Amino acid sequence: MVGVLALQGDYSKHVQILEMLNLEVLEVRYPNDLSLIDGLVIPGGESTTISDLMTRVSFHEAIKIFAKKKPILGTCAGLILMSKNISDDRVIPLGLLDISVDRNAYGRQVDSFTDQIKVSLNDNIHNVSAAFIRAPKINKVGSNVKILSYYNNEPVVVKQGHHLGLTFHPELVKTTFFHNYIFRKQFEINNAA
Ligand code: GLN
């Protein structure tokens, strides 16, 4: 079963994508819910708000422990929360991706856009749609982080261990590629091992 952190933001869109992939889904609201799931999505939304709501129920420590063994997909605000350094100290980082990020680096809501990006994975190039909405920019990447996609020379898809971070929203343009990869494919590999 895959969990979607359901504190704020567009978590219901991620639930739809996971259901399209025939995965069982749980909306995660309390740290205890993490014991029921095999992977977690941290959705887009407002990272300052999600961080505050996480602090209230001590989610940070619980997610860090969960992340040692289980995969996490972070999109937009979710990627901001997963990173190590954030340009806004109101957001408490989880430090799961060794990256530094600038919030709202593309400008305001009116500067949001959708485009095709190219993702390199397992020696193949995949074309996928991506919606950039008040997206962050990744300005520093640690040596243990793989960059799977660039858009205008900026890293927009990063992978560290079993975690994946996207600066955009795949779920708003019905892109199932990343959820399929991180939850279906990685689970299959783990189950086969
Ligand atoms: N700008 C938002 C933030 O910093 C992220 C936007 C999004 O998730 N679409 O939290």
Side-chain angles (χ1 to χ4, degrees), residues 39-170:
L40 178 69
V41 178
I42 307 183
E46 193 55 44
S47 54
T48 49
T49 308
I50 298 176
S51 183
D52 277 353
L53 294 169
M54 282 169 62
T55 303
R56 284 192 208 175
V57 289
S58 306
F59 246 126
H60 285 84
E61 270 322 298
I63 291 179
K64 283 186 201 173
I65 294 167
F66 175 86
K68 289 194 174 142
K69 298 237 168 85
K70 309 268 173 86
I72 301 188
L73 169 65
T75 65
C76 206
L79 164 125
I80 297 173
L81 284 153
M82 286 174 77
S83 63
K84 204 170 192 173
N85 298 297
I86 305 165
S87 61
D88 184 332
D89 57 15
R90 290 174 298 171
V91 187
I92 299 172
L94 288 163
L96 304 176
L97 297 170
D98 185 10
I99 57 174
S100 301
V101 294
D102 276 329
R103 293 185 60 221
N104 301 332
Y106 288 86
R108 303 159 63 95
Q109 191 75 26
V110 289
D111 301 310
S112 301
F113 57 96
T114 297
D115 208 345
Q116 294 285 312
I117 60 164
K118 288 185 191 311
V119 183
S120 22
L121 199 60
N122 304 332
D123 299 328
N124 289 316
I125 307 281
H126 306 264
N127 286 304
V128 298
S129 299
F132 291 81
I133 300 171
R134 294 174 63 232
K137 277 188 185 170
I138 299 171
N139 56 44
K140 213 163 139 214
V141 175
S143 56
N144 40 0
V145 175
K146 280 191 199 154
I147 300 171
L148 305 187
S149 179
Y150 288 90
Y151 184 81
N152 288 343
N153 299 320
E154 308 276 358
V156 292
V157 178
V158 289
K159 183 173 191 294
Q160 180 170 354
H162 44 253
H163 304 311
L164 199 58
L166 318 175
T167 63
F168 51 86
H169 293 261

